[in-house]
Amino acid sequence: MVSANAEGWALYAERLMDELGFLTDPEHRLGYLDAQMMRAVRVIVDIGMHLELEIPADSPFHPGERWTPELAQEFFGAHSSRPADFVESELTRYLTIPGQAIGYKLGERAWLLGREKARARHGDSFDLKAWHMAALSQGSLGLDDLVDELARL
Protein backbone atom coordinates (compact mmCIF):
# COMPACT_ATOMS: atom_id res chain seq x y z
CA MET A 1 0.00 0.00 0.00
CA VAL A 2 1.20 3.51 -0.81
CA SER A 3 0.55 5.44 2.40
CA ALA A 4 0.51 8.83 0.67
CA ASN A 5 -2.29 7.55 -1.58
CA ALA A 6 -4.38 6.11 1.27
CA GLU A 7 -3.76 8.99 3.67
CA GLY A 8 -4.26 11.43 0.81
CA TRP A 9 -7.67 9.85 0.17
CA ALA A 10 -8.57 10.38 3.83
CA LEU A 11 -7.73 14.09 3.64
CA TYR A 12 -9.44 14.39 0.28
CA ALA A 13 -12.57 12.75 1.71
CA GLU A 14 -12.62 15.23 4.61
CA ARG A 15 -12.38 18.12 2.15
CA LEU A 16 -15.07 16.53 -0.01
CA MET A 17 -17.47 16.40 2.92
CA ASP A 18 -16.93 20.13 3.36
CA GLU A 19 -17.31 20.80 -0.37
CA LEU A 20 -20.56 18.82 -0.45
CA GLY A 21 -21.96 20.87 2.44
CA PHE A 22 -22.02 18.19 5.13
CA LEU A 23 -20.17 20.32 7.70
CA THR A 24 -23.14 22.55 8.46
CA ASP A 25 -22.77 22.65 12.24
CA PRO A 26 -20.26 25.33 13.28
CA GLU A 27 -18.62 22.86 15.66
CA HIS A 28 -17.99 20.36 12.84
CA ARG A 29 -16.66 23.04 10.51
CA LEU A 30 -14.35 24.42 13.20
CA GLY A 31 -13.11 20.90 13.96
CA TYR A 32 -12.34 20.38 10.27
CA LEU A 33 -10.51 23.72 10.07
CA ASP A 34 -8.62 23.00 13.30
CA ALA A 35 -7.43 19.68 11.86
CA GLN A 36 -6.35 21.45 8.66
CA MET A 37 -4.35 23.97 10.73
CA MET A 38 -2.64 21.18 12.66
CA ARG A 39 -1.69 19.47 9.41
CA ALA A 40 -0.24 22.68 8.02
CA VAL A 41 1.87 22.99 11.18
CA ARG A 42 3.00 19.37 10.71
CA VAL A 43 4.26 20.14 7.21
CA ILE A 44 6.16 23.22 8.39
CA VAL A 45 7.91 21.51 11.28
CA ASP A 46 8.62 18.24 9.44
CA ILE A 47 10.31 19.97 6.53
CA GLY A 48 11.95 22.60 8.73
CA MET A 49 13.47 20.12 11.17
CA HIS A 50 14.71 17.58 8.63
CA LEU A 51 16.26 20.16 6.34
CA GLU A 52 17.41 22.29 9.27
CA LEU A 53 15.98 25.30 7.47
CA GLU A 54 16.33 28.83 8.69
CA ILE A 55 13.12 30.44 9.88
CA PRO A 56 12.47 33.46 7.63
CA ALA A 57 13.84 36.74 8.92
CA ASP A 58 10.42 38.38 8.69
CA SER A 59 8.72 35.67 10.76
CA PRO A 60 7.36 36.66 14.17
CA PHE A 61 8.50 33.24 15.42
CA HIS A 62 12.25 33.06 16.14
CA PRO A 63 13.34 34.91 12.97
CA GLY A 64 16.64 33.77 11.50
CA GLU A 65 16.99 30.73 13.77
CA ARG A 66 17.22 27.18 12.41
CA TRP A 67 14.44 24.70 13.09
CA THR A 68 15.16 22.31 15.96
CA PRO A 69 12.91 19.83 17.74
CA GLU A 70 12.60 22.31 20.60
CA LEU A 71 11.46 25.13 18.31
CA ALA A 72 9.14 22.74 16.51
CA GLN A 73 7.52 21.76 19.81
CA GLU A 74 7.06 25.41 20.75
CA PHE A 75 5.63 26.28 17.32
CA PHE A 76 3.32 23.26 17.23
CA GLY A 77 2.06 24.02 20.72
CA ALA A 78 1.41 27.66 19.86
CA HIS A 79 -0.41 26.90 16.60
CA SER A 80 -2.61 23.96 17.49
CA SER A 81 -5.18 23.15 20.11
CA ARG A 82 -3.41 19.92 21.01
CA PRO A 83 -2.11 19.09 24.51
CA ALA A 84 1.62 19.02 25.17
CA ASP A 85 1.85 15.21 25.37
CA PHE A 86 0.21 14.89 21.94
CA VAL A 87 2.61 17.47 20.46
CA GLU A 88 5.60 15.62 21.92
CA SER A 89 4.35 12.30 20.53
CA GLU A 90 3.82 13.82 17.08
CA LEU A 91 7.30 15.33 17.02
CA THR A 92 8.83 12.00 17.99
CA ARG A 93 6.99 10.43 15.06
CA TYR A 94 8.19 13.12 12.64
CA LEU A 95 11.78 12.69 13.80
CA THR A 96 11.68 8.92 13.36
CA ILE A 97 9.72 8.83 10.06
CA PRO A 98 10.95 11.73 7.91
CA GLY A 99 8.42 12.91 5.37
CA GLN A 100 5.48 10.99 6.83
CA ALA A 101 3.85 14.20 7.97
CA ILE A 102 3.87 15.60 4.44
CA GLY A 103 3.04 12.40 2.53
CA TYR A 104 -0.66 12.63 3.28
CA LYS A 105 -0.79 16.24 2.05
CA LEU A 106 0.94 15.28 -1.19
CA GLY A 107 -1.57 12.45 -1.53
CA GLU A 108 -4.48 14.85 -1.07
CA ARG A 109 -3.01 17.12 -3.73
CA ALA A 110 -2.74 14.15 -6.11
CA TRP A 111 -6.42 13.26 -5.58
CA LEU A 112 -7.47 16.88 -6.12
CA LEU A 113 -5.32 17.27 -9.24
CA GLY A 114 -6.59 14.00 -10.71
CA ARG A 115 -10.19 15.07 -10.11
CA GLU A 116 -9.54 18.52 -11.60
CA LYS A 117 -8.02 16.99 -14.72
CA ALA A 118 -10.88 14.49 -15.09
CA ARG A 119 -13.44 17.27 -14.64
CA ALA A 120 -11.69 19.37 -17.30
CA ARG A 121 -11.58 16.39 -19.65
CA HIS A 122 -15.30 15.62 -19.28
CA GLY A 123 -16.67 19.15 -18.87
CA ASP A 124 -20.37 19.29 -18.03
CA SER A 125 -20.71 15.51 -18.33
CA PHE A 126 -18.37 14.93 -15.36
CA ASP A 127 -20.13 12.68 -12.83
CA LEU A 128 -18.51 13.06 -9.41
CA LYS A 129 -20.11 9.94 -7.93
CA ALA A 130 -19.14 7.73 -10.88
CA TRP A 131 -15.64 9.21 -10.84
CA HIS A 132 -15.24 8.34 -7.15
CA MET A 133 -16.40 4.77 -7.70
CA ALA A 134 -13.91 4.32 -10.55
CA ALA A 135 -11.16 6.12 -8.66
CA LEU A 136 -11.46 3.92 -5.59
CA SER A 137 -11.36 0.84 -7.83
CA GLN A 138 -7.83 1.78 -8.95
CA GLY A 139 -6.22 0.42 -5.81
CA SER A 140 -3.14 1.89 -4.20
CA LEU A 141 -0.90 3.59 -6.76
CA GLY A 142 2.14 5.79 -6.50
CA LEU A 143 1.23 9.46 -6.66
CA ASP A 144 2.36 10.15 -10.24
CA ASP A 145 0.47 7.10 -11.50
CA LEU A 146 -2.50 8.06 -9.32
CA VAL A 147 -2.82 11.51 -10.90
CA ASP A 148 -2.52 10.05 -14.40
CA GLU A 149 -5.10 7.31 -13.77
CA LEU A 150 -7.55 9.63 -12.01
CA ALA A 151 -7.30 12.10 -14.88
CA ARG A 152 -8.23 9.35 -17.34
CA LEU A 153 -11.40 8.36 -15.50
Side-chain angles (χ1 to χ4, degrees), residues 107-123:
E108 178 192 30
R109 287 177 58 182
W111 278 94
L112 288 167
L113 181 58
R115 181 182 75 180
E116 179 183 309
K117 288 181 173 190
R119 187 183 306 269
R121 184 170 160 253
H122 290 284

PDB file of all heavy atoms in Angstrom, residues 107-123:
ATOM      1  N   GLY A 107      -0.536  13.353  -1.047  1.00  0.00           N
ATOM      2  CA  GLY A 107      -1.574  12.450  -1.532  1.00  0.00           C
ATOM      3  C   GLY A 107      -2.879  13.186  -1.787  1.00  0.00           C
ATOM      4  O   GLY A 107      -3.538  12.969  -2.814  1.00  0.00           O
ATOM      5  N   GLU A 108      -3.262  14.062  -0.870  1.00  0.00           N
ATOM      6  CA  GLU A 108      -4.480  14.851  -1.068  1.00  0.00           C
ATOM      7  C   GLU A 108      -4.366  15.695  -2.338  1.00  0.00           C
ATOM      8  O   GLU A 108      -5.303  15.766  -3.134  1.00  0.00           O
ATOM      9  CB  GLU A 108      -4.736  15.760   0.133  1.00  0.00           C
ATOM     10  CG  GLU A 108      -5.968  16.639  -0.042  1.00  0.00           C
ATOM     11  CD  GLU A 108      -6.078  17.732   0.993  1.00  0.00           C
ATOM     12  OE1 GLU A 108      -5.041  18.217   1.496  1.00  0.00           O
ATOM     13  OE2 GLU A 108      -7.218  18.128   1.295  1.00  0.00           O
ATOM     14  N   ARG A 109      -3.217  16.311  -2.525  1.00  0.00           N
ATOM     15  CA  ARG A 109      -3.011  17.125  -3.733  1.00  0.00           C
ATOM     16  C   ARG A 109      -3.128  16.277  -4.992  1.00  0.00           C
ATOM     17  O   ARG A 109      -3.668  16.731  -5.997  1.00  0.00           O
ATOM     18  CB  ARG A 109      -1.648  17.813  -3.670  1.00  0.00           C
ATOM     19  CG  ARG A 109      -1.613  18.948  -2.661  1.00  0.00           C
ATOM     20  CD  ARG A 109      -0.274  19.587  -2.532  1.00  0.00           C
ATOM     21  NE  ARG A 109       0.189  20.102  -3.808  1.00  0.00           N
ATOM     22  CZ  ARG A 109       1.358  20.687  -3.988  1.00  0.00           C
ATOM     23  NH1 ARG A 109       2.184  20.827  -2.976  1.00  0.00           N
ATOM     24  NH2 ARG A 109       1.715  21.120  -5.164  1.00  0.00           N
ATOM     25  N   ALA A 110      -2.635  15.039  -4.955  1.00  0.00           N
ATOM     26  CA  ALA A 110      -2.742  14.150  -6.115  1.00  0.00           C
ATOM     27  C   ALA A 110      -4.211  13.835  -6.413  1.00  0.00           C
ATOM     28  O   ALA A 110      -4.628  13.859  -7.580  1.00  0.00           O
ATOM     29  CB  ALA A 110      -1.947  12.863  -5.876  1.00  0.00           C
ATOM     30  N   TRP A 111      -4.988  13.525  -5.391  1.00  0.00           N
ATOM     31  CA  TRP A 111      -6.418  13.255  -5.580  1.00  0.00           C
ATOM     32  C   TRP A 111      -7.122  14.487  -6.156  1.00  0.00           C
ATOM     33  O   TRP A 111      -7.934  14.371  -7.083  1.00  0.00           O
ATOM     34  CB  TRP A 111      -7.070  12.837  -4.261  1.00  0.00           C
ATOM     35  CG  TRP A 111      -6.866  11.386  -3.963  1.00  0.00           C
ATOM     36  CD1 TRP A 111      -5.885  10.829  -3.203  1.00  0.00           C
ATOM     37  CD2 TRP A 111      -7.662  10.305  -4.442  1.00  0.00           C
ATOM     38  NE1 TRP A 111      -6.014   9.469  -3.181  1.00  0.00           N
ATOM     39  CE2 TRP A 111      -7.112   9.118  -3.920  1.00  0.00           C
ATOM     40  CE3 TRP A 111      -8.794  10.219  -5.244  1.00  0.00           C
ATOM     41  CZ2 TRP A 111      -7.644   7.862  -4.190  1.00  0.00           C
ATOM     42  CZ3 TRP A 111      -9.330   8.967  -5.513  1.00  0.00           C
ATOM     43  CH2 TRP A 111      -8.755   7.814  -4.986  1.00  0.00           C
ATOM     44  N   LEU A 112      -6.820  15.657  -5.630  1.00  0.00           N
ATOM     45  CA  LEU A 112      -7.467  16.881  -6.124  1.00  0.00           C
ATOM     46  C   LEU A 112      -7.069  17.183  -7.567  1.00  0.00           C
ATOM     47  O   LEU A 112      -7.911  17.561  -8.386  1.00  0.00           O
ATOM     48  CB  LEU A 112      -7.120  18.066  -5.221  1.00  0.00           C
ATOM     49  CG  LEU A 112      -7.778  18.054  -3.844  1.00  0.00           C
ATOM     50  CD1 LEU A 112      -7.118  19.091  -2.929  1.00  0.00           C
ATOM     51  CD2 LEU A 112      -9.276  18.293  -3.961  1.00  0.00           C
ATOM     52  N   LEU A 113      -5.792  17.004  -7.881  1.00  0.00           N
ATOM     53  CA  LEU A 113      -5.318  17.267  -9.242  1.00  0.00           C
ATOM     54  C   LEU A 113      -5.924  16.268 -10.225  1.00  0.00           C
ATOM     55  O   LEU A 113      -6.356  16.660 -11.321  1.00  0.00           O
ATOM     56  CB  LEU A 113      -3.784  17.207  -9.289  1.00  0.00           C
ATOM     57  CG  LEU A 113      -3.141  17.479 -10.639  1.00  0.00           C
ATOM     58  CD1 LEU A 113      -3.539  18.853 -11.178  1.00  0.00           C
ATOM     59  CD2 LEU A 113      -1.622  17.355 -10.518  1.00  0.00           C
ATOM     60  N   GLY A 114      -5.974  14.998  -9.843  1.00  0.00           N
ATOM     61  CA  GLY A 114      -6.593  13.999 -10.708  1.00  0.00           C
ATOM     62  C   GLY A 114      -8.052  14.311 -10.972  1.00  0.00           C
ATOM     63  O   GLY A 114      -8.536  14.205 -12.103  1.00  0.00           O
ATOM     64  N   ARG A 115      -8.774  14.720  -9.945  1.00  0.00           N
ATOM     65  CA  ARG A 115     -10.187  15.074 -10.113  1.00  0.00           C
ATOM     66  C   ARG A 115     -10.329  16.301 -11.013  1.00  0.00           C
ATOM     67  O   ARG A 115     -11.190  16.337 -11.899  1.00  0.00           O
ATOM     68  CB  ARG A 115     -10.834  15.338  -8.753  1.00  0.00           C
ATOM     69  CG  ARG A 115     -12.316  15.678  -8.863  1.00  0.00           C
ATOM     70  CD  ARG A 115     -12.934  15.980  -7.531  1.00  0.00           C
ATOM     71  NE  ARG A 115     -12.538  17.305  -7.074  1.00  0.00           N
ATOM     72  CZ  ARG A 115     -12.940  17.841  -5.931  1.00  0.00           C
ATOM     73  NH1 ARG A 115     -13.726  17.159  -5.108  1.00  0.00           N
ATOM     74  NH2 ARG A 115     -12.547  19.039  -5.585  1.00  0.00           N
ATOM     75  N   GLU A 116      -9.492  17.299 -10.789  1.00  0.00           N
ATOM     76  CA  GLU A 116      -9.537  18.520 -11.598  1.00  0.00           C
ATOM     77  C   GLU A 116      -9.296  18.213 -13.076  1.00  0.00           C
ATOM     78  O   GLU A 116     -10.004  18.712 -13.956  1.00  0.00           O
ATOM     79  CB  GLU A 116      -8.485  19.503 -11.083  1.00  0.00           C
ATOM     80  CG  GLU A 116      -8.395  20.803 -11.833  1.00  0.00           C
ATOM     81  CD  GLU A 116      -7.266  21.663 -11.277  1.00  0.00           C
ATOM     82  OE1 GLU A 116      -7.213  21.861 -10.041  1.00  0.00           O
ATOM     83  OE2 GLU A 116      -6.441  22.130 -12.080  1.00  0.00           O
ATOM     84  N   LYS A 117      -8.318  17.356 -13.339  1.00  0.00           N
ATOM     85  CA  LYS A 117      -8.017  16.986 -14.724  1.00  0.00           C
ATOM     86  C   LYS A 117      -9.159  16.181 -15.347  1.00  0.00           C
ATOM     87  O   LYS A 117      -9.505  16.391 -16.509  1.00  0.00           O
ATOM     88  CB  LYS A 117      -6.704  16.199 -14.800  1.00  0.00           C
ATOM     89  CG  LYS A 117      -5.489  17.060 -14.566  1.00  0.00           C
ATOM     90  CD  LYS A 117      -4.213  16.242 -14.687  1.00  0.00           C
ATOM     91  CE  LYS A 117      -2.999  17.140 -14.610  1.00  0.00           C
ATOM     92  NZ  LYS A 117      -1.773  16.429 -14.963  1.00  0.00           N
ATOM     93  N   ALA A 118      -9.755  15.269 -14.579  1.00  0.00           N
ATOM     94  CA  ALA A 118     -10.885  14.487 -15.091  1.00  0.00           C
ATOM     95  C   ALA A 118     -12.082  15.399 -15.350  1.00  0.00           C
ATOM     96  O   ALA A 118     -12.769  15.264 -16.372  1.00  0.00           O
ATOM     97  CB  ALA A 118     -11.256  13.382 -14.102  1.00  0.00           C
ATOM     98  N   ARG A 119     -12.321  16.330 -14.465  1.00  0.00           N
ATOM     99  CA  ARG A 119     -13.437  17.266 -14.638  1.00  0.00           C
ATOM    100  C   ARG A 119     -13.218  18.119 -15.890  1.00  0.00           C
ATOM    101  O   ARG A 119     -14.149  18.344 -16.668  1.00  0.00           O
ATOM    102  CB  ARG A 119     -13.584  18.154 -13.407  1.00  0.00           C
ATOM    103  CG  ARG A 119     -14.829  19.040 -13.441  1.00  0.00           C
ATOM    104  CD  ARG A 119     -14.915  19.978 -12.238  1.00  0.00           C
ATOM    105  NE  ARG A 119     -14.838  19.342 -10.953  1.00  0.00           N
ATOM    106  CZ  ARG A 119     -15.889  18.908 -10.251  1.00  0.00           C
ATOM    107  NH1 ARG A 119     -17.104  19.028 -10.740  1.00  0.00           N
ATOM    108  NH2 ARG A 119     -15.713  18.372  -9.074  1.00  0.00           N
ATOM    109  N   ALA A 120     -11.994  18.575 -16.107  1.00  0.00           N
ATOM    110  CA  ALA A 120     -11.687  19.373 -17.297  1.00  0.00           C
ATOM    111  C   ALA A 120     -11.863  18.539 -18.564  1.00  0.00           C
ATOM    112  O   ALA A 120     -12.351  19.031 -19.592  1.00  0.00           O
ATOM    113  CB  ALA A 120     -10.266  19.925 -17.209  1.00  0.00           C
ATOM    114  N   ARG A 121     -11.479  17.294 -18.496  1.00  0.00           N
ATOM    115  CA  ARG A 121     -11.584  16.393 -19.652  1.00  0.00           C
ATOM    116  C   ARG A 121     -13.037  16.134 -20.038  1.00  0.00           C
ATOM    117  O   ARG A 121     -13.383  16.083 -21.202  1.00  0.00           O
ATOM    118  CB  ARG A 121     -10.875  15.085 -19.314  1.00  0.00           C
ATOM    119  CG  ARG A 121     -10.804  14.095 -20.437  1.00  0.00           C
ATOM    120  CD  ARG A 121      -9.870  12.944 -20.057  1.00  0.00           C
ATOM    121  NE  ARG A 121     -10.169  11.830 -20.906  1.00  0.00           N
ATOM    122  CZ  ARG A 121     -10.798  10.727 -20.520  1.00  0.00           C
ATOM    123  NH1 ARG A 121     -11.161  10.568 -19.272  1.00  0.00           N
ATOM    124  NH2 ARG A 121     -11.035   9.767 -21.372  1.00  0.00           N
ATOM    125  N   HIS A 122     -13.904  15.974 -19.023  1.00  0.00           N
ATOM    126  CA  HIS A 122     -15.305  15.620 -19.275  1.00  0.00           C
ATOM    127  C   HIS A 122     -16.239  16.828 -19.359  1.00  0.00           C
ATOM    128  O   HIS A 122     -17.353  16.695 -19.860  1.00  0.00           O
ATOM    129  CB  HIS A 122     -15.816  14.678 -18.183  1.00  0.00           C
ATOM    130  CG  HIS A 122     -15.211  13.330 -18.239  1.00  0.00           C
ATOM    131  ND1 HIS A 122     -15.577  12.385 -19.174  1.00  0.00           N
ATOM    132  CD2 HIS A 122     -14.240  12.757 -17.485  1.00  0.00           C
ATOM    133  CE1 HIS A 122     -14.863  11.286 -18.980  1.00  0.00           C
ATOM    134  NE2 HIS A 122     -14.039  11.494 -17.964  1.00  0.00           N
ATOM    135  N   GLY A 123     -15.812  17.959 -18.838  1.00  0.00           N
ATOM    136  CA  GLY A 123     -16.667  19.147 -18.869  1.00  0.00           C
ATOM    137  C   GLY A 123     -17.956  18.932 -18.106  1.00  0.00           C
ATOM    138  O   GLY A 123     -17.970  18.351 -17.014  1.00  0.00           O
TER     139      GLY A 123
END
